[in-house]
Protein backbone atom coordinates (compact mmCIF):
# COMPACT_ATOMS: atom_id res chain seq x y z
CA UNK A 1 0.00 0.00 0.00
CA UNK A 2 1.13 3.50 -0.73
CA UNK A 3 2.27 5.63 2.24
CA UNK A 4 0.50 8.69 0.88
CA UNK A 5 -2.93 7.24 0.36
CA UNK A 6 -5.81 8.00 2.64
CA UNK A 7 -7.43 5.21 4.60
CA UNK A 8 -10.72 3.99 3.19
CA UNK A 9 -13.64 3.55 5.56
CA UNK A 10 -16.84 1.71 5.00
CA UNK A 11 -19.72 4.24 4.92
CA UNK A 12 -22.09 1.70 6.42
CA UNK A 13 -20.00 1.28 9.55
CA UNK A 14 -20.94 3.60 12.47
CA UNK A 15 -18.60 6.40 13.31
CA UNK A 16 -16.82 6.15 16.60
CA UNK A 17 -18.02 8.84 18.98
CA UNK A 18 -15.76 10.57 21.40
CA UNK A 19 -16.42 9.83 25.02
CA UNK A 20 -15.95 11.78 28.17
CA UNK A 21 -12.87 10.26 29.85
CA UNK A 22 -14.23 10.27 33.41
CA UNK A 23 -17.56 8.61 32.72
CA UNK A 24 -17.07 6.81 29.42
CA UNK A 25 -20.35 8.34 28.21
CA UNK A 26 -20.74 10.39 25.04
CA UNK A 27 -20.67 14.17 25.61
CA UNK A 28 -24.03 15.86 25.99
CA UNK A 29 -25.05 18.55 23.61
CA UNK A 30 -25.72 21.78 25.52
CA UNK A 31 -28.38 24.05 24.12
CA UNK A 32 -27.23 27.62 23.82
CA UNK A 33 -29.44 30.00 25.73
CA UNK A 34 -29.59 33.61 24.79
CA UNK A 35 -30.59 35.90 27.60
CA UNK A 36 -33.65 37.83 26.69
CA UNK A 37 -34.21 41.30 28.10
CA UNK A 38 -37.81 40.37 28.78
CA UNK A 39 -36.65 37.71 31.22
CA UNK A 40 -34.95 40.21 33.53
CA UNK A 41 -36.66 41.38 36.71
CA UNK A 42 -37.10 45.04 37.52
CA UNK A 43 -34.53 46.41 39.94
CA UNK A 44 -35.84 46.84 43.46
CA UNK A 45 -34.01 50.12 44.15
CA UNK A 46 -35.27 51.46 40.82
CA UNK A 47 -38.86 50.70 41.78
CA UNK A 48 -38.30 52.29 45.20
CA UNK A 49 -36.86 55.40 43.51
CA UNK A 50 -39.89 55.66 41.25
CA UNK A 51 -42.32 55.24 44.15
CA UNK A 52 -40.46 57.89 46.19
CA UNK A 53 -40.65 60.24 43.20
CA UNK A 54 -44.41 59.74 42.95
CA UNK A 55 -44.90 60.20 46.70
CA UNK A 56 -42.88 63.42 46.71
CA UNK A 57 -44.81 64.70 43.69
CA UNK A 58 -48.05 64.15 45.58
CA UNK A 59 -46.44 65.70 48.69
CA UNK A 60 -45.43 68.85 46.79
CA UNK A 61 -48.93 69.20 45.36
CA UNK A 62 -50.52 68.79 48.79
CA UNK A 63 -48.07 71.21 50.41
CA UNK A 64 -48.69 73.96 47.88
CA UNK A 65 -52.47 73.44 47.97
CA UNK A 66 -52.58 73.58 51.78
CA UNK A 67 -50.39 76.69 51.88
CA UNK A 68 -52.51 78.25 49.14
CA UNK A 69 -55.69 77.61 51.12
CA UNK A 70 -54.13 78.98 54.31
CA UNK A 71 -52.85 82.02 52.47
CA UNK A 72 -56.24 82.79 50.97
CA UNK A 73 -57.20 84.37 54.27
CA UNK A 74 -54.38 86.85 53.68
CA UNK A 75 -56.01 88.04 50.49
CA UNK A 76 -59.40 88.37 52.20
CA UNK A 77 -58.01 91.00 54.54
CA UNK A 78 -57.56 89.08 57.75
CA UNK A 79 -56.36 91.06 60.78
CA UNK A 80 -53.58 88.62 61.69
CA UNK A 81 -51.68 89.15 58.43
CA UNK A 82 -48.14 88.64 59.70
CA UNK A 83 -48.94 85.65 61.94
CA UNK A 84 -50.82 83.78 59.21
CA UNK A 85 -48.27 84.49 56.51
CA UNK A 86 -45.35 83.43 58.72
CA UNK A 87 -47.09 80.21 59.68
CA UNK A 88 -47.98 79.37 56.06
CA UNK A 89 -44.43 80.06 54.87
CA UNK A 90 -43.02 78.00 57.76
CA UNK A 91 -45.16 74.96 56.85
CA UNK A 92 -44.29 75.29 53.19
CA UNK A 93 -40.57 75.56 53.98
CA UNK A 94 -40.54 72.56 56.31
CA UNK A 95 -42.54 70.40 53.91
CA UNK A 96 -40.32 71.33 50.95
CA UNK A 97 -37.16 70.55 52.96
CA UNK A 98 -38.50 67.15 54.04
CA UNK A 99 -39.62 66.31 50.51
CA UNK A 100 -36.24 67.41 49.10
CA UNK A 101 -34.53 65.03 51.54
CA UNK A 102 -36.75 62.23 50.20
CA UNK A 103 -35.78 63.26 46.65
CA UNK A 104 -32.10 62.85 47.54
CA UNK A 105 -32.82 59.37 48.89
CA UNK A 106 -34.86 58.55 45.77
CA UNK A 107 -32.07 59.79 43.50
CA UNK A 108 -29.49 57.63 45.26
CA UNK A 109 -31.77 54.59 45.04
CA UNK A 110 -32.33 55.29 41.34
CA UNK A 111 -28.59 55.39 40.68
CA UNK A 112 -28.16 52.14 42.60
CA UNK A 113 -30.96 50.62 40.50
CA UNK A 114 -29.17 51.69 37.33
CA UNK A 115 -25.93 50.01 38.34
CA UNK A 116 -27.43 46.56 39.01
CA UNK A 117 -26.64 44.03 36.31
CA UNK A 118 -29.18 41.75 34.69
CA UNK A 119 -32.06 43.90 35.86
CA UNK A 120 -34.42 46.13 33.96
CA UNK A 121 -33.54 49.77 34.32
CA UNK A 122 -36.83 51.45 33.33
CA UNK A 123 -37.96 52.38 36.84
CA UNK A 124 -34.42 53.35 37.82
CA UNK A 125 -34.19 55.80 34.92
CA UNK A 126 -37.64 57.29 35.48
CA UNK A 127 -37.14 57.58 39.26
CA UNK A 128 -33.68 59.14 38.90
CA UNK A 129 -34.89 61.68 36.33
CA UNK A 130 -37.98 62.72 38.32
CA UNK A 131 -36.03 63.02 41.58
CA UNK A 132 -33.27 64.98 39.83
CA UNK A 133 -35.81 67.40 38.32
CA UNK A 134 -37.37 68.00 41.74
CA UNK A 135 -33.94 68.59 43.29
CA UNK A 136 -33.01 71.03 40.51
CA UNK A 137 -36.27 72.90 41.02
CA UNK A 138 -35.62 72.98 44.76
CA UNK A 139 -32.14 74.43 44.19
CA UNK A 140 -33.59 76.94 41.75
CA UNK A 141 -36.15 78.07 44.32
CA UNK A 142 -33.50 78.34 47.05
CA UNK A 143 -31.15 80.32 44.81
CA UNK A 144 -33.98 82.64 43.75
CA UNK A 145 -34.91 83.27 47.38
CA UNK A 146 -31.29 83.94 48.32
CA UNK A 147 -30.79 86.34 45.42
CA UNK A 148 -33.97 88.21 46.24
CA UNK A 149 -33.08 88.32 49.93
CA UNK A 150 -29.76 89.95 49.08
CA UNK A 151 -31.43 92.63 46.99
CA UNK A 152 -33.59 93.96 49.83
Amino acid sequence: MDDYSTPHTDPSSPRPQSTVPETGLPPQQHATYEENKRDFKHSGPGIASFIIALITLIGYIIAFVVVGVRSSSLVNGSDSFIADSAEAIFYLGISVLILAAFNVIGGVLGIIGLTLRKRRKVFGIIGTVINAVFLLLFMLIISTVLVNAGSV
Side-chain angles (χ1 to χ4, degrees):
M1 201 154 121
D2 190 15
D3 288 336
Y4 298 109
S5 66
T6 58
H8 296 285
T9 58
D10 185 18
S12 64
S13 67
R15 288 183 170 180
Q17 292 199 0
S18 62
T19 59
V20 177
E22 298 87 38
T23 61
L25 299 174
Q28 295 181 354
Q29 297 293 330
H30 294 288
T32 58
Y33 175 72
E34 288 187 27
E35 292 181 0
N36 194 352
K37 287 238 178 208
R38 289 177 278 173
D39 294 339
F40 293 155
K41 292 181 180 180
H42 288 284
S43 65
I47 294 172
S49 172
F50 179 70
I51 291 172
I52 287 173
L54 291 180
I55 289 172
T56 56
L57 174 65
I58 293 168
Y60 283 122
I61 291 171
I62 290 172
F64 281 105
V65 167
V66 167
V67 168
V69 168
R70 296 186 102 192
S71 298
S72 67
S73 64
L74 301 175
V75 177
N76 294 335
S78 176
D79 293 336
S80 59
F81 177 75
I82 294 177
D84 287 341
S85 66
E87 186 178 355
I89 291 172
F90 174 75
Y91 285 129
L92 179 64
I94 291 295
S95 62
V96 167
L97 285 174
I98 291 170
L99 291 170
F102 279 118
N103 285 130
V104 170
I105 294 169
V108 169
L109 285 174
I111 292 170
I112 291 171
L114 290 174
T115 60
L116 292 178
R117 293 181 184 223
K118 296 190 178 188
R119 297 291 180 155
R120 288 188 178 179
K121 300 184 181 349
V122 175
F123 285 114
I125 292 170
I126 294 171
T128 303
V129 168
I130 293 173
N131 284 310
V133 166
F134 286 150
L135 285 173
L136 288 173
L137 287 174
F138 174 72
M139 287 189 265
L140 181 69
I141 290 170
I142 293 296
S143 63
T144 304
V145 168
L146 291 175
V147 166
N148 287 335
S151 65
V152 174

